[in-house]
Amino acid sequence: MDSFFSWINLTEHIVFTLVIVILINIYLKNGKEEFFRVLVVGLKALPGVKSLIGKVLHNEVTSFVSTTALAKKNVGKESVQRMQLPKKGISPEELRNEMNILKSAEAESAKEGKIFAYVYTVIDQHWKLQSEAFDKFEEKIGHSLEHDTIVNEFLHAFLHENALNPMVFPSLRKMETEIVSMTAAMLNGDQDVVGFVTSGGTESNLMAVKTYRDMARKSRPNIRLPEIIAPITVHPTIDKAAHYFGLKVIHTPVGDDFRADVQAMKEAINENTVMLVASAPQFCHGIIDPIKELSDLAVAKGLPLHVDGCFGGFMLPWVEKLGYNIPPFDFRLPGVSSISADVHKYGYSVKGSSVIVYRNAEIRKHQIYTYPEWPGGLYGSPSMAGTRGGGTIASAWVSLKALGVDGFMDKAKELMDTTEKMMKGVKEINGLKIMGEPHMTSFAIGPSDKELDIYAVADAMEKKGWTIERNQKPSCIHCSILPRHTAIADDFIRDLKDSTAEVKENKTLAKKGTAAMYGMIGTIPDKTIVSDFLVEFFSEVYK
Ligand SMILES: *Cc1c(COP(=O)(O)O)cnc(C)c1O
Ligand SMILES: *[C@@H]1O[C@H](CO)[C@@H](O)[C@H](O)[C@H]1NC(C)=O
């Protein structure tokens, strides 16, 4: 035994000497900087050292944040409890008071113009013009729309503030943190769930893909071309993210019920897979993927599962509470590692706000971009956008606060009632059907009669003044039910019935308009031609 230990000691000794020799060599050849770099990289590789460095860094950051002059303007008391949506919506008067408190908390330097970045506002006629444009808009939509009014007031008040530097406008940081917290609580996240506010569903999904790509880069550096597995019904933002960030999407089929095929996704997993994606619900037909089964798969395979809740994130929790049968889709499922949810959809705020939430801060770290070498200073940014307008953050915050749980429940009830009424009306029209079994406030209408060209029905509807969304593969039309539909649900059913009858009677209608165009595109086997057509289209309409 003795000799064994001395042998170990000898090996250690040799390794140690070798390391010293290599380090000295680096020092002599490449200088001090490279020497320290290699030393630090080597140290970080030792077990325990990395987490120790992590702790030291965390302490440094906490004490830095608490000592900066700007942070002294921190708003309100720090609370350890997760902030949740208020039960009852907060009144406009109270919210306006809070706005004054928030505004007064902005860095004195920012208010007096003693800052050298972030705000390029010209305080003159130009500023007045912009303000007036918003006042006009408010007049136009009418002050009776109380919710829109308070949302617009906040948009207006924070329009010129910038969330690029979290220390200059602490009120924006506070609002962003609270939006994320309320969203996390709504999606049944525990205390560990964290996230960021983004400019929309696209940015939220882009960030999820970037996060898992970077996570895989760290833990599985051998992957050359990382792969995402997602059903064909996933929103194209996932494909866009893959295109931007150098990943590949493996699209798997959906079943006859338009839900992701779990077995197909399982079979598509290989050594390059870095994430799974599912939707709650997918936009095309308003149907939720089998997220519980995919969560189990994700846990079994040790892969992250991103749930695209851009569309349903701010609707499904309330529809479930109303008593509808909603399959589980949120953080209650252990395999769900992130969820995107758009505040500018069923969060009823103005365009330009969404939330991306992650199961814990360790995952979220991979979203943050840093560049410490810039002569302009230490640079870091949590998402795609650098400058981030304060207006959209403030509007999102006030939208959630003004509605509260009760407000969201009321809206969900109204919209679900309208949806059910419209779906019932569609089913009663001869020749039409609802595609699959939609879960919330949207559905797709397809032909129940093979002879009927649904795109010709869409064209006929447009002649009657409607704007219709067309789905393909299979052909159907999409309807998201919006607050304004309650008043015109009957008109829709009447016009749809008439349009369907017109198309049935007149076969030439199927050979005209978008019906003809979609028919033609469907027959082109080479989709790159269709892509070229789309590029041409955008070049033309933005001329
Ligand atoms: C709307 C939507 C997106 C994209 O969001 P934008 O806000 O349009 O950028 C992504 N996924 C789903 C399911 C959506 O409905
Ligand atoms: C059928 O539709 C076409 C195209 O709109 C129209 O020109 C034609 O008059 C219609 N025929 C009948 C019988 O309504």
Side-chain angles (χ1 to χ4, degrees):
M1 278 317 257
D2 254 8
S3 64
F4 179 74
F5 279 117
S6 62
W7 189 78
I8 286 262
N9 283 340
L10 184 68
T11 327
E12 269 182 8
H13 185 74
I14 292 171
V15 169
F16 187 71
T17 316
L18 257 171
V19 167
I20 297 288
V21 170
I22 292 170
L23 282 174
I24 289 174
N25 251 319
I26 291 173
Y27 188 88
L28 293 177
K29 268 205 202 128
N30 307 49
K32 208 160 65 183
E33 240 175 71
E34 184 61 10
F35 169 79
F36 279 116
R37 199 189 66 79
V38 173
L39 190 67
V40 169
V41 170
L43 274 176
K44 270 172 82 174
L46 289 177
V49 174
K50 214 174 146 193
S51 77
L52 186 70
I53 294 178
K55 279 195 193 110
V56 172
L57 276 181
H58 183 75
N59 284 342
E60 279 300 310
V61 168
T62 337
S63 72
F64 167 72
V65 168
S66 66
T67 54
T68 48
L70 298 170
K72 297 229 170 73
K73 302 284 169 193
N74 218 338
V75 209
K77 286 185 207 87
E78 294 298 336
S79 88
V80 275
Q81 277 299 311
R82 171 172 292 302
M83 163 166 289
Q84 304 196 9
L85 274 168
K87 171 82 176 81
K88 230 173 134 284
I90 297 168
S91 73
E93 293 71 47
E94 255 182 89
L95 288 166
R96 282 185 196 109
N97 280 339
E98 186 134 5
M99 187 204 294
N100 290 333
I101 298 168
L102 286 165
K103 276 282 187 186
S104 69
E106 297 312 23
E108 220 50 54
S109 56
K111 279 188 287 189
E112 293 167 11
K114 293 178 181 167
I115 52 173
F116 296 95
Y118 315 112
V119 181
Y120 291 75
T121 315
V122 187
I123 311 283
D124 65 357
Q125 217 38 39
H126 181 65
W127 164 289
K128 251 190 89 189
L129 268 178
Q130 283 184 325
S131 304
E132 277 168 14
F134 272 97
D135 292 341
K136 284 250 164 55
F137 174 71
E138 281 180 22
E139 260 168 45
K140 219 171 96 193
I141 62 164
H143 274 266
S144 58
L145 296 168
E146 197 179 75
H147 185 72
D148 269 3
T149 305
I150 190 80
V151 167
N152 278 314
E153 268 175 44
F154 270 69
L155 173 71
H156 195 162
F158 289 85
L159 210 47
H160 293 269
E161 300 200 356
N162 189 344
L164 175 57
N165 183 332
M167 308 311 251
V168 178
F169 295 110
S171 65
L172 294 183
R173 182 167 45 113
K174 177 187 159 77
M175 285 190 276
E176 176 160 1
T177 313
E178 292 186 0
I179 294 166
V180 170
S181 180
M182 289 185 277
T183 308
M186 177 186 74
L187 297 170
N188 292 298
D190 62 16
Q191 293 293 115
D192 290 341
V193 171
V194 290
F196 289 117
V197 171
T198 71
S199 62
T202 302
E203 192 180 2
S204 290
N205 282 347
L206 287 176
M207 289 299 89
V209 171
K210 184 246 182 238
T211 294
Y212 298 126
R213 182 201 64 180
D214 287 4
M215 226 164 84
R217 268 188 185 165
K218 266 224 175 110
S219 60
R220 297 152 69 199
N222 292 332
I223 298 179
R224 286 241 194 90
L225 180 58
E227 292 179 9
I228 302 167
I229 299 173
I232 52 169
T233 45
V234 83
H235 196 275
T237 44
I238 297 297
D239 301 85
K240 190 179 189 180
H243 179 76
Y244 281 2
F245 302 142
L247 295 89
K248 181 177 160 190
V249 184
I250 309 279
H251 286 115
T252 51
V254 293
D256 292 339
D257 55 2
F258 299 103
R259 297 176 354 127
D261 179 338
V262 179
Q263 187 57 29
M265 287 182 76
K266 184 178 175 186
E267 281 163 18
I269 295 175
N270 64 33
E271 69 279 5
N272 295 326
T273 309
V274 300
M275 70 187 288
L276 308 176
V277 189
S279 313
Q282 38 98 322
F283 183 78
C284 321
H285 316 97
I287 293 169
I288 304 175
D289 284 322
I291 298 179
K292 173 164 188 324
E293 290 77 0
L294 289 170
S295 158
D296 293 346
L297 179 64
V299 171
K301 298 284 181 180
L303 287 167
L305 169 64
H306 172 65
V307 172
D308 179 0
C310 284
F311 187 48
F314 279 93
M315 178 54 79
L316 287 176
W318 321 117
V319 178
E320 183 185 347
K321 283 199 173 66
L322 284 172
Y324 287 89
N325 188 17
I326 300 297
F329 66 96
D330 62 18
F331 285 113
R332 282 171 289 187
L333 298 173
V336 171
S337 43
S338 54
I339 306 176
S340 47
D342 290 354
V343 196
H344 67 198
K345 286 181 183 152
Y346 290 116
Y348 313 105
S349 186
V350 295
K351 296 292 165 278
S353 58
S354 171
V355 183
I356 172 78
V357 273
Y358 296 96
R359 182 160 295 272
N360 58 49
E362 205 39 52
I363 303 175
R364 183 181 72 165
K365 274 183 185 166
H366 297 93
Q367 185 182 311
I368 303 165
Y369 173 77
T370 59
Y371 184 63
E373 311 278 356
W374 188 36
L378 300 174
Y379 185 88
S381 150
S383 50
M384 294 283 284
T387 285
R388 295 190 296 145
T392 49
I393 295 173
S395 327
W397 182 86
V398 83
S399 187
L400 302 186
K401 289 270 186 173
L403 284 167
V405 170
D406 291 351
F408 272 106
M409 288 293 282
D410 285 349
K411 290 239 179 312
K413 167 111 183 51
E414 180 193 318
L415 288 171
M416 281 306 285
D417 287 349
T418 306
T419 306
E420 294 208 310
K421 178 176 168 184
M422 288 171 78
M423 286 210 295
K424 184 165 169 286
V426 171
K427 286 177 189 162
E428 281 166 7
I429 297 174
N430 203 346
L432 298 183
K433 67 170 181 190
I434 299 291
M435 310 294 278
E437 288 176 33
H439 286 107
M440 51 167 245
T441 50
S442 90
F443 51 83
I445 306 168
S448 61
D449 166 357
K450 263 200 249 105
E451 296 295 301
L452 182 75
D453 189 319
I454 194 72
Y455 296 139
V457 175
D459 289 344
M461 285 295 279
E462 297 206 332
K463 282 232 170 70
K464 298 187 200 317
W466 300 85
T467 297
I468 303 294
E469 302 298 318
R470 292 157 181 84
N471 284 347
Q472 57 172 351
K473 302 199 283 183
S475 306
C476 51
I477 57 185
H478 166 97
C479 302
S480 288
I481 303 314
L482 311 172
R484 299 215 175 165
H485 289 145
T486 304
I488 53 172
D490 291 325
D491 298 357
F492 176 79
I493 295 302
R494 184 197 62 223
D495 287 350
L496 188 64
K497 195 172 172 193
D498 292 350
S499 300
T500 309
E502 281 165 32
V503 173
K504 280 186 152 183
E505 274 159 29
N506 190 341
K507 297 290 175 217
T508 62
L509 288 176
K511 298 188 174 64
K512 291 191 163 297
T514 61
M517 194 192 78
Y518 266 83
M520 188 263 292
I521 284 175
T523 61
I524 301 176
D526 180 3
K527 294 298 172 205
T528 59
I529 296 178
V530 183
S531 285
D532 289 346
F533 169 83
L534 290 172
V535 171
E536 233 6 83
F537 170 81
F538 278 97
S539 310
E540 190 59 31
V541 291
Y542 285 105
K543 208 151 74 178

